[in-house]
Amino acid sequence: MASARPQLGHGRMPIELSADARMARRVTRLAFVSLEAPGLILLVAIRTLDAPTWVLAALAAGWVLMPTVLFVSLARPRLRYALVLPAALISVGLLVICAWWLPAEPLAAAGWWLMTSGIGLGGGLGLWFWYRLVPVPAWLDDLNSAGRWGLIGLHVGLVAVGWGLAMTG
């Protein structure tokens, strides 16, 4: 019977789902970032949009759950599978905003699209690197590879620039 957990070609668990000290440092850093970043997205949504309460609640729930799951996963790395829930709450909330509640100002609207793209990229990278739904090429498998950091930088940059533009709304 095949194992339900993702495996690398060597039959070992991906480092992203392990207790490896390098990954624990990355998860800790991500947990601290997620204490703030989703909250800033929620703040700009509350301040600049007329989105319904359920959309704001989805963003708020994602904000609370993301760092919670990350911090708890430091002791139990396999709980990182649960990151799908807060990531989905935030992603769906942003997609709904882009579909129905974009501001009229073009720069602010572009900011929401950039944030949504950045969050979508981050979620996609998480699915790819952490859960290995699609094989990760060797040149991106190392936690400190330039390619991986470049993709993470693009994710962060899209969210940060998008947030700044959305604040103009």
Side-chain angles (χ1 to χ4, degrees):
M1 183 168 159
S3 172
R5 63 184 205 184
Q7 304 256 327
L8 295 176
H10 323 15
R12 65 178 171 86
M13 179 68 88
I15 193 171
E16 291 84 0
L17 298 175
S18 74
D20 183 283
R22 294 172 299 155
M23 196 61 208
R25 284 190 299 274
R26 185 162 293 180
V27 169
T28 300
R29 184 173 50 246
L30 183 56
F32 280 110
V33 168
S34 70
L35 283 170
E36 296 179 13
L40 292 173
I41 292 170
L42 175 62
L43 177 67
V44 72
I46 290 169
R47 293 189 63 165
T48 65
L49 302 175
D50 192 27
T53 303
W54 68 267
V55 173
L56 301 176
L59 293 174
W63 176 30
V64 169
L65 289 172
M66 183 69 71
T68 301
V69 170
L70 286 163
F71 281 122
V72 171
S73 81
L74 289 168
R76 299 181 59 117
R78 293 186 70 149
L79 289 176
R80 292 181 193 139
Y81 283 114
L83 289 169
V84 168
L85 178 60
L89 287 166
I90 295 168
S91 296
V92 168
L94 288 169
L95 284 170
V96 168
I97 286 169
C98 287
W100 288 290
W101 285 283
L102 278 180
E105 298 86 4
L107 278 179
W112 283 102
W113 278 110
L114 287 173
M115 271 194 296
T116 302
S117 299
I119 293 296
L121 176 61
L125 292 174
L127 286 171
W128 187 25
F129 292 149
W130 291 35
Y131 303 158
R132 307 294 167 123
L133 298 178
V134 177
V136 175
W139 62 277
L140 288 174
D141 194 38
D142 177 22
L143 291 179
N144 294 313
S145 73
R148 189 180 272 218
W149 277 110
L151 290 168
I152 292 168
L154 179 60
H155 152 67
V156 171
L158 287 168
V159 174
V161 170
W163 186 84
L165 290 175
M167 280 298 291
T168 67

